[in-house]
Amino acid sequence: MIKTITGTTQNLGVMGWPIAHSLSPAMQNAAIAAAGVDAVYTAFAVEPQALALAVAGLRTLHFRGWNVTIPHKQAIMDALDEIDEDAAAIGAVNTVVNDGGRLKGYNTDVVGFLGGLRDAGFDPAEKNVVLLGAGGAARAALWGLMKSHAMRVTVGARHPEKAEALIDDFAARASMLGTKLAAMHWETEAFRGAFSHADLVVNVTPLGMTPHTDDKPPVDWREAKPDAFAYDIIYTPEETRFLHEAAALGHRTLNGEDMLVQQGAAAFELWFGRKADASVMKQTLRAQLSGAELVHHVLA
């Protein structure tokens, strides 16, 4: 049954460049339908030089809110009226809420990152963590680990200067929260030592993502603690080489599917003040990833 769009329908969406690949419209519209909310979620292709105009237009058109993806997560902050604590700490916004023309930016990636771990039964508190990568995704992961009171986070990267810059940005907050930080090149003996003591190892690089499925960060799971937990925020393929090698040696593993769903569910709650049906969002995501027909459709 086709959804009826009326003059009272709330408008939402996701902006990025490019944006055609986004799975957010399918997930969010499935959640909207399941909740019986009068809203519709679409995708906006916004070129970087047009970002300020796009934000002004969505404000003027009274869009209830929208998600933000690459390459706008940092640049959009200057166009908003208020920034949430998580977004300010991470230095990036992935969700905007429009309350009567006032735009507030949030970052729900940290909620998604921690939610996936929580549902898998892993608590980072007082744990040794190795973070593989120092790019944009690393910022949300590092902030989440610090908020969860991880004992120590070692950031390993191909370019150690990026890892050092990352921990420098978070050093003051880490001191207040009691988390020790270190930056290392991921092909050194010092890093191998940190890896061998890690309770949690997280890949926040794109290494191993489709179509480059033979790639992985340079770690050897034979050197890890037997109970070390492997977390890869990639969700295509479902099992990266990084996770496959960990699982083959008996390690618990988690991919990025739950993170994607839960960050979307957190955005839904910010817009509508009610929880999304995460199971519907997850079913829809899996159907999209498998190329199957959607199980849930947008209903009137």
Side-chain angles (χ1 to χ4, degrees), residues 134 155-168 182-188:
V155 180
R158 179 187 292 117
H159 302 290
E161 66 277 9
K162 291 185 177 179
E164 289 165 3
L166 175 64
I167 66 169
D168 283 348
M184 300 178 185
H185 192 292
W186 61 18
E187 291 183 340
T188 62

Side-chain angles (χ1 to χ4, degrees), residues 4-271:
T4 301
I5 307 296
T6 72
T8 62
T9 301
Q10 296 185 82
N11 292 298
L12 300 146
V14 56
M15 61 164 56
W17 183 262
I19 199 61
H21 64 283
S22 177
L23 301 175
S24 291
M27 282 201 310
Q28 292 291 356
N29 282 313
I32 286 166
V37 176
D38 184 15
V40 64
Y41 185 107
T42 56
F44 324 123
V46 178
E47 297 180 75
Q49 65 271 23
L51 178 61
L53 285 173
V55 172
L58 294 175
R59 188 200 300 260
T60 301
L61 293 170
H62 304 289
F63 267 65
R64 173 60 182 144
W66 59 91
N67 288 126
V68 185
T69 189
I70 296 170
H72 304 313
K73 287 186 173 185
Q74 291 80 37
I76 197 171
M77 296 175 76
D78 290 336
L80 305 178
D81 302 305
E82 187 178 354
I83 305 295
D84 173 71
E85 179 190 7
D86 283 345
I90 295 165
V93 162
N94 80 330
T95 302
V96 177
V97 177
N98 182 359
D99 279 325
R102 183 172 179 79
L103 304 181
K104 184 171 181 178
Y106 297 83
N107 193 304
T108 65
D109 286 335
V110 65
V111 175
F113 176 82
L114 293 175
L117 274 180
R118 180 194 63 237
D119 289 353
F122 188 93
D123 182 358
E126 301 303 317
K127 300 294 196 303
N128 283 312
V129 183
V130 162
L131 203 58
L132 298 164
R139 300 185 68 86
L142 180 55
W143 177 236
L145 293 166
M146 287 164 49
K147 287 181 66 177
S148 300
H149 303 289
M151 181 170 62
R152 182 181 182 89
V153 180
T154 300
V155 180
R158 179 187 292 117
H159 302 290
E161 66 277 9
K162 291 185 177 179
E164 289 165 3
L166 175 64
I167 66 169
D168 283 348
D169 284 349
F170 284 89
R173 291 185 173 94
S175 179
M176 288 189 295
L177 293 169
T179 300
K180 296 178 181 178
L181 303 181
M184 300 178 185
H185 192 292
W186 61 18
E187 291 183 340
T188 62
E189 286 301 314
F191 178 76
R192 287 179 64 186
F195 176 77
S196 70
H197 289 91
D199 302 298
L200 170 67
V201 183
V202 188
N203 177 35
V204 289
T205 77
L207 291 173
M209 184 183 297
T210 302
H212 304 292
T213 55
D214 288 335
D215 294 342
K216 77 174 186 71
V219 296
D220 186 344
W221 281 102
R222 292 172 297 182
E223 299 177 350
K225 291 171 59 177
D227 61 348
F229 190 104
Y231 188 4
D232 196 330
I233 67 167
I234 293 171
Y235 53 88
T236 54
E238 183 176 351
E239 184 179 68
T240 59
R241 183 180 170 192
F242 171 81
L243 292 183
H244 178 77
E245 292 182 0
L249 292 172
H251 295 279
R252 289 186 295 159
T253 65
L254 177 69
N255 72 6
E257 187 177 281
D258 283 343
M259 178 177 175
L260 180 63
V261 168
Q262 294 200 38
Q263 64 80 26
F268 183 100
E269 187 169 354
L270 287 170
W271 296 322

